[in-house]
Amino acid sequence: MENSTIERRLQLTADGSHTLFIPEMDEHYHSVNGAIQESTHIFIEAGLRAVQKPEIQLLEIGFGTGLNALLTWKAVEQSAAIRRLVYHTVELYPLPEEITGALNCGDLVWPEQKGRFHALHQADWNREVELGDRFVLHKIAGDSNTCTLPEHIDLIYMDAFAPEKQPEMWNDAFYRKLYHHTAPGAVIVTYCAKGAVRRGMQAAGFRMERLPGPPGKRHMLRGWKSSE
């Protein structure tokens, strides 16, 4: 599926924030029960806040609309404990500017700094870009299965499309690859709570737990790598 041929429809979710719908895949980028609510619950509350390090290397699988990155940047700015965060994110199908310009994430998440949402999308690909004193963005264009991933990752946002829509992103070999690139004590979080995903990540080495999910979803998953 070529990026230029993908139809994406702008859609409002229950909390007033935008998501995108891909008719060809019958798949949304976020929960229709609230895009911001979902991302905050899974990736910020269960993910970022679980990492007790002053300097964090973060890897996101699926940059998508950039919502997770914006929420993370804001959380870093509001944290007294985080000195520096490098946000690595891999995306095979970057969104065109006519779509990112229509999204209301910046207005809702960080209205007093809404220009930062556009800065995320305008940043160069395949190099680290200093977007703030404590926030560095590294957008990687490519397939997470085949591209070179950064080392010593402290936190993984596993945010690929659902396993039945994008099965190549949810397999034992990929979980092992992610585990291999993590630092001791690393955390992985995902909205997907399927038993096969939990068992696969566990087999890769992560100690998995099932947590309450965001509105409209019963559960989510979080995993830990041994700190030894």
Side-chain angles (χ1 to χ4, degrees):
M1 185 167 57
E2 295 294 329
N3 190 39
S4 59
T5 65
I6 301 173
E7 180 188 0
R8 303 177 180 93
R9 298 176 185 171
L10 200 66
Q11 184 174 331
L12 280 176
T13 67
D15 65 6
S17 56
H18 281 138
T19 189
L20 296 172
F21 176 65
I22 303 179
E24 185 176 349
M25 295 177 67
D26 188 27
E27 179 77 329
H28 291 88
Y29 275 62
H30 312 92
S31 170
V32 296
N33 294 295
I36 291 175
Q37 283 187 128
E38 177 191 43
S39 289
T40 300
H41 180 96
I42 296 169
F43 301 109
I44 305 303
E45 298 299 335
L48 182 63
R49 303 207 191 286
V51 180
Q52 303 298 313
K53 290 185 176 182
E55 297 193 6
I56 298 171
Q57 294 283 329
L58 187 155
L59 172 64
E60 177 186 43
I61 305 300
F63 181 61
T65 65
L67 174 58
N68 295 339
L70 183 65
L71 288 166
T72 302
W73 190 359
K74 183 179 181 182
V76 168
E77 291 289 330
Q78 294 177 336
S79 171
I82 302 174
R83 290 201 301 261
R84 188 171 188 266
L85 184 143
V86 181
Y87 196 103
H88 308 274
T89 179
V90 186
E91 178 59 60
L92 184 58
Y93 300 115
L95 294 173
E97 189 174 348
E98 60 265 26
I99 290 180
T100 61
L103 294 166
N104 65 5
C105 304
D107 299 278
L108 296 182
V109 170
W110 211 352
E112 67 276 18
Q113 295 286 351
K114 61 184 179 181
R116 298 195 183 195
F117 179 67
H118 301 293
L120 292 169
H121 288 283
Q122 292 165 359
D124 290 343
W125 288 83
N126 300 314
R127 74 177 186 90
E128 292 190 2
V129 180
E130 299 267 354
L131 290 181
D133 293 339
R134 295 187 288 160
F135 186 84
V136 179
L137 180 65
H138 179 205
K139 296 191 296 186
I140 304 167
D143 185 335
S144 300
N145 276 283
T146 57
C147 72
T148 301
L149 299 180
E151 302 290 343
H152 310 297
I153 294 299
D154 302 301
L155 174 61
I156 297 174
Y157 292 171
M158 182 58 184
D159 200 22
F161 290 130
E164 60 270 23
K165 308 294 183 179
Q166 205 173 23
E168 68 276 12
M169 302 304 302
W170 305 87
N171 61 76
D172 292 353
F174 187 55
Y175 303 148
R176 289 193 298 270
K177 179 178 182 179
L178 291 178
Y179 186 85
H180 176 73
H181 286 270
T182 51
V187 176
I188 183 170
V189 284
T190 180
Y191 65 89
C192 184
K194 289 183 178 295
V197 172
R198 178 179 54 80
R199 291 188 294 272
M201 290 185 175
Q202 190 167 296
F206 292 106
R207 176 170 53 85
M208 301 302 297
E209 59 181 337
R210 198 165 59 172
L211 302 175
K217 190 168 180 60
R218 288 183 62 193
H219 299 113
M220 59 164 286
L221 292 177
R222 179 168 65 189
W224 303 79
K225 184 174 184 175
S226 171
S227 58
E228 298 178 357

